[in-house]
Amino acid sequence: MAVAKFFVGFIGLLVPLLASGEPCVGPKATSTSYTSTNIFMSSETVFLTEFSLACDNNAKDVSLYAEVNGKVMPVTRSTDNSKYQVSWSEEHKQAKSGVYTINFLDEEGYSNYRKAQRSGGSLDIKPLFTIDINHKGAGREGLWVQTEFIAVVAALLIWWCANNVKSKLQE
């Protein structure tokens, strides 16, 4: 009976270690970013960054979380584990222009962040690395009126001209 309890306890300790990602030592991220800037084309501003991560210890299976303005979200990995991606959206009015800093946390950093959040302590957890996104702000691009409005006005003008020509011909 004691051997069974030991075996269950050992497996219980081993499974979280196998399920967790490798720790990354000396991370170096190379990123590309995109933010939407056209109010007419979308209802919200979208922030997207894709990056590749190189670690000094050649860790490949790194689980990451991103923290931006107090919001924490998981970071997705490509199927070949070569690229990572994080994205979020905000209303245009809340997405002010400027530099947005994304703090990336590994599993340990995320755990410490959640503990500090629950206890009401300081959320100044040292990130694994950071990436800055420069957002120029969302604004109006292109025409000041929508193309649908222009099409309706053109159709009404054509109808009015045709109706005038028709009435003159019938006189």
Side-chain angles (χ1 to χ4, degrees), residues 1-11:
M1 189 71 165
V3 174
K5 285 184 181 181
F6 174 76
F7 183 69
V8 169
F10 180 73
I11 295 296

Side-chain angles (χ1 to χ4, degrees), residues 38 40 140-148 150:
N38 193 338
F40 291 124
R140 299 177 188 267
E141 293 178 5
L143 301 173
W144 283 98
V145 294
Q146 295 182 351
T147 55
E148 294 88 353
I150 294 171

Side-chain angles (χ1 to χ4, degrees), residues 104-116:
F104 289 93
L105 307 168
D106 57 2
E107 289 181 349
E108 182 181 347
Y110 177 67
S111 175
N112 292 338
Y113 184 88
R114 296 291 291 163
K115 285 178 189 174

Side-chain angles (χ1 to χ4, degrees), residues 21-24 27 51 53 61-77 84 86 101-117 122-131:
E22 298 177 59
C24 180
F51 61 95
L53 182 65
D61 189 26
V62 181
S63 296
L64 295 174
Y65 298 89
E67 184 270 327
V68 180
N69 297 334
K71 295 183 218 170
V72 179
M73 60 205 88
V75 176
T76 58
R77 272 189 304 226
Y84 294 82
V86 63
T101 300
I102 307 172
N103 297 316
F104 289 93
L105 307 168
D106 57 2
E107 289 181 349
E108 182 181 347
Y110 177 67
S111 175
N112 292 338
Y113 184 88
R114 296 291 291 163
K115 285 178 189 174
Q117 215 176 24
S122 173
L123 296 177
D124 293 333
I125 306 296
K126 185 177 186 291
L128 191 62
F129 62 95
T130 62
I131 293 177

Side-chain angles (χ1 to χ4, degrees), residues 13-110:
L13 291 174
L14 188 62
V15 168
L17 292 175
L18 293 175
S20 65
E22 298 177 59
C24 180
V25 177
K28 294 171 194 73
T30 307
S31 68
T32 58
S33 301
Y34 167 78
T35 62
S36 57
T37 57
N38 193 338
I39 289 177
F40 291 124
M41 299 302 284
S42 62
S43 60
E44 292 185 328
T45 300
V46 175
F47 298 85
L48 173 76
T49 185
E50 183 178 74
F51 61 95
S52 58
L53 182 65
C55 302
D56 289 344
N57 61 343
N58 293 327
K60 298 292 181 202
D61 189 26
V62 181
S63 296
L64 295 174
Y65 298 89
E67 184 270 327
V68 180
N69 297 334
K71 295 183 218 170
V72 179
M73 60 205 88
V75 176
T76 58
R77 272 189 304 226
S78 63
T79 54
D80 61 354
N81 290 338
S82 65
K83 298 254 184 208
Y84 294 82
Q85 186 178 33
V86 63
S87 63
W88 73 97
S89 64
E90 293 181 7
E91 290 184 23
H92 291 304
K93 291 179 184 177
Q94 295 173 345
K96 304 294 182 198
S97 62
V99 176
Y100 288 78
T101 300
I102 307 172
N103 297 316
F104 289 93
L105 307 168
D106 57 2
E107 289 181 349
E108 182 181 347
Y110 177 67

